[in-house]
Amino acid sequence: MHGNKKERAPKQAPQPAETVKQQENAAVPESKPQDVSAPKTLPEKEEAPSVNDGTEDNGAAGAAESAKDIAAEDAAVKSVASKADTAAEGEKHEENEKPEKSEQEGKAENAEKAQEPGTGGSPSPAAESRAPSKPSEPSKPSEPSKPSEPSNLLEPSAREKLRAALSRLGWKKWAAIAAVFAVLLGAGLFLAFGTTHVIERSDRDAKENIYMVVKPGTTASEISDHLTRLGVIDSRLRFWWLMKLQGDAQKFKTGTYAFAPHMDEQAVLDKLVLGDTTVVRFTIPEGFGIKEIAKRLADEGLVDEQEFLAEAKDFAPYDYMKKRPNERYAAEGYLFPDTYEIHSEVTPEAIMKMMAEDFDTRLTPELRQQAAAKNLSIHDLVTLASLVEKEARYDEDRPIIAQVFFKRLQMGMPLQSDTTLQYLMAGPKEDVSIEDTKIDSPYNTYQHMGLPPGPIASPGMKSILAVLNPASTDYLYFVADRQGHNHYSQTYDEHLAIVEQVR
């Protein structure tokens, strides 16, 4: 045991250095924490273990000297750090530093306890060599990385640069980008789901063809609008996008096409691209006026309704069609009701010419002679036949109604035909009123004697023949029941009694 004490005696040599250290520290109160924490800011002292060659005095002096240097350098580093860091980051640094300090202090206390005589046993040579190097031991200085901390301070400036770069785009460019995005999004939704657009056309058979004429220069947008209006397709936008996505907008062939209601958009597009044109076929029923013919042809996609009406005002390829004063349409009554096929260009003028030629052909020389024998011009014949056409629903009534009109004309009695009032109205009306009979117009046969200025519809051959071959009766009045059958009477009182029964 004594031998061991003698061996440990030199190890107590640092005691005078400790005493010196306490004296020096007396001038600087509580500097011991600085001695422990100082190596964290001085990575260059990591070479301190190689300086210790086993001489205790030099180790003690080196330890004291390094303590001073460490304290001074620590103060300088802290001063620099306090200038570079914000107050918040300084507090964060102090909180992160505390655990490391406590760890170093724990190691120092364990080393001192190991050197005390009462602890039993002597420290190993490795412990002896590590003891003097404590002040400069930290080989993992995390804090010396502080010079890299300013990079965190640069991050806000980088973000500011990004914001500045984005702001340089300008509100107009941002608006354009947003508009393009909205259009693409909306177009995608419409392309996926489409829109429901129900078109109600005129009173025609749903199985009949719907025609559309594609002329040179017709745009894809115009074709989409026209097909939607005709009821061929249900989604204009979906069809338009199909054209654009497939690049078919410029591939359409000109000509006349036949479609069906509510077709698949792709099938319609294929038809237009392939140029699957057709011969136009349409039917005009008896009793259709110019307005109804224009609507029918427009519904079938053959003409523009307003363009057709404008053309009909002065269309008169024959002398007997010459427009009279107060007459609405020169072509009224002369576009013969029939089924037609068009093999050439489809235009309002071409259609009217074809229909007027049909009428002129059907009005044979024999029929013209019969009209002249009754002192009827062709214009008067067609005008009177148009009234019969509109008044009679059944063939047996036509000659009788024609006879009633002839008798009234001969007597100087107003024709008082409700059909002439209907011609002045925007739409059909089941029963005309007393107020309707007061409409101020040359077509009002309640207010004006004789025939109206011109025909009010296109009569069929049965009505024309009925005027040329009227029945032989004494009737002056007639009224139709709800089923369209006419009831006749010779006196006005009988007429009023029948009206009460059938209406």
Side-chain angles (χ1 to χ4, degrees):
M1 294 296 290
H2 290 286
N4 292 334
K5 289 182 180 180
K6 288 181 179 181
E7 290 176 357
R8 287 198 306 269
K11 305 301 178 182
Q12 301 299 324
Q15 293 295 334
E18 189 70 21
T19 304
V20 174
K21 182 177 179 181
Q22 291 177 358
Q23 293 175 355
E24 290 174 349
N25 292 340
V28 182
E30 299 297 326
S31 62
K32 186 174 181 179
Q34 296 178 355
D35 296 341
V36 177
S37 62
K40 294 182 181 180
T41 60
L42 296 175
E44 62 274 13
K45 293 298 182 177
E46 290 177 357
E47 298 178 357
S50 62
V51 175
N52 186 10
D53 59 355
T55 306
E56 293 81 352
D57 293 339
N58 292 338
E65 190 67 22
S66 63
K68 292 180 179 181
D69 295 339
I70 289 170
E73 292 177 3
D74 180 69
V77 171
K78 287 184 176 180
S79 175
V80 173
S82 63
K83 293 178 181 180
D85 298 337
T86 60
E89 292 177 347
E91 292 176 0
K92 181 178 180 182
H93 169 68
E94 291 177 1
E95 291 176 359
N96 295 335
E97 189 181 20
K98 287 180 181 181
E100 296 180 359
K101 287 184 178 181
S102 61
E103 181 181 357
Q104 296 297 330
E105 289 175 356
K107 291 182 179 180
E109 290 176 359
N110 291 338
E112 291 176 358
K113 287 181 180 180
Q115 294 177 357
E116 289 179 2
T119 57
S122 62
S124 62
E128 293 177 3
S129 64
R130 284 197 304 268
S133 63
K134 282 283 183 181
S136 59
E137 182 183 36
S139 60
K140 47 179 181 178
S142 60
E143 294 305 323
S145 62
K146 276 188 177 182
S148 64
E149 289 180 2
S151 61
N152 295 332
L153 299 176
L154 295 178
E155 291 180 0
S157 63
R159 288 193 291 269
E160 291 297 330
K161 289 180 179 179
L162 179 60
R163 292 194 190 98
L166 295 176
S167 64
R168 282 196 295 270
L169 289 176
W171 69 270
K172 292 184 178 179
K173 293 183 179 179
W174 279 114
I177 293 173
V180 171
F181 178 77
V183 169
L184 292 177
L185 178 61
L189 292 175
F190 275 109
L191 184 60
F193 302 105
T195 57
T196 301
H197 193 70
V198 179
I199 301 294
E200 292 185 4
R201 301 192 304 278
S202 62
D203 55 337
R204 58 189 293 267
D205 190 347
K207 295 181 181 179
E208 290 185 31
N209 287 329
I210 301 174
Y211 295 99
M212 187 185 75
V213 180
V214 177
K215 300 179 181 179
T218 306
T219 65
S221 181
E222 290 172 343
I223 291 175
S224 301
D225 290 339
H226 202 184
L227 289 169
T228 306
R229 183 176 59 82
L230 292 174
V232 176
I233 59 175
D234 295 329
S235 175
R236 173 197 175 278
L237 190 59
R238 185 164 56 208
F239 179 80
W240 189 86
W241 271 101
L242 278 175
M243 288 191 296
K244 292 298 183 181
L245 293 176
Q246 298 180 16
D248 293 334
Q250 305 298 327
K251 299 180 181 179
F252 298 155
K253 308 296 189 301
T254 59
T256 304
Y257 295 84
F259 299 106
H262 309 295
M263 288 183 64
D264 177 72
E265 284 83 1
Q266 187 64 56
V268 174
L269 185 58
D270 293 342
K271 201 177 186 72
L272 292 168
V273 172
L274 292 174
D276 186 12
T277 59
T278 186
V279 174
V280 176
R281 181 188 294 270
F282 64 92
T283 300
I284 301 300
E286 290 87 351
F288 263 36
I290 289 295
K291 288 184 177 180
E292 294 164 303
I293 294 173
K295 181 171 177 55
R296 167 63 64 86
L297 295 175
D299 285 348
E300 295 188 2
L302 296 176
V303 300
D304 178 81
E305 183 175 353
Q306 297 304 317
E307 183 180 349
F308 188 89
L309 292 175
E311 187 71 27
K313 284 184 178 294
D314 300 306
F315 180 78
Y318 302 99
D319 291 340
Y320 53 80
M321 292 178 63
K322 185 178 179 180
K323 189 175 182 181
R324 272 68 172 178
N326 301 318
E327 194 174 17
R328 285 189 166 185
Y329 301 100
E332 189 77 86
Y334 298 101
L335 305 183
F336 192 77
D338 201 354
T339 297
Y340 296 91
E341 287 186 356
I342 302 179
H343 299 268
S344 58
E345 183 181 1
V346 180
T347 63
E349 184 179 3
I351 291 175
M352 283 188 279
K353 183 179 180 180
M354 181 174 56
M355 297 177 72
E357 287 178 354
D358 190 12
F359 170 82
D360 190 69
T361 302
R362 290 174 181 271
L363 193 63
T364 64
E366 292 76 16
L367 295 179
R368 296 176 195 234
Q369 291 176 3
Q370 286 183 352
K374 288 186 174 292
N375 200 26
L376 291 174
S377 66
I378 295 178
H379 184 75
D380 291 342
L381 170 64
V382 176
T383 301
L384 193 54
S386 69
L387 298 181
V388 174
E389 186 68 53
K390 298 298 286 186
E391 291 281 7
R393 182 179 298 182
Y394 300 98
D395 292 343
E396 61 269 20
D397 290 323
R398 300 180 196 276
I400 302 175
I401 294 174
Q403 183 270 330
V404 170
F405 287 147
F406 271 119
K407 199 164 190 177
R408 288 189 178 187
L409 288 172
Q410 293 172 356
M411 295 174 60
M413 179 179 176
L415 294 180
Q416 295 183 332
S417 174
D418 292 351
T419 59
T420 60
L421 299 178
Q422 298 276 9
Y423 184 72
L424 299 173
M425 298 176 185
K429 190 175 183 181
E430 186 174 16
D431 294 316
V432 297
S433 64
I434 299 298
E435 289 298 322
D436 295 331
T437 63
K438 298 178 182 180
I439 297 175
D440 184 15
S441 171
Y443 283 90
N444 185 349
T445 55
Y446 280 86
Q447 301 292 332
H448 298 274
M449 301 291 291
L451 294 172
I456 61 173
S458 293
M461 286 306 300
K462 292 179 180 179
S463 293
I464 293 175
L465 293 175
V467 172
L468 294 176
N469 301 281
S472 179
T473 68
D474 294 328
Y475 297 134
L476 279 177
Y477 304 95
F478 64 91
V479 60
D481 59 24
R482 298 304 182 188
Q483 288 73 40
H485 295 282
N486 279 283
H487 302 266
Y488 305 95
S489 58
Q490 295 180 359
T491 67
Y492 187 63
D493 290 337
E494 292 176 350
H495 173 67
L496 292 179
I498 294 174
V499 170
E500 289 294 329
Q501 293 175 6
V502 300
R503 296 293 181 92

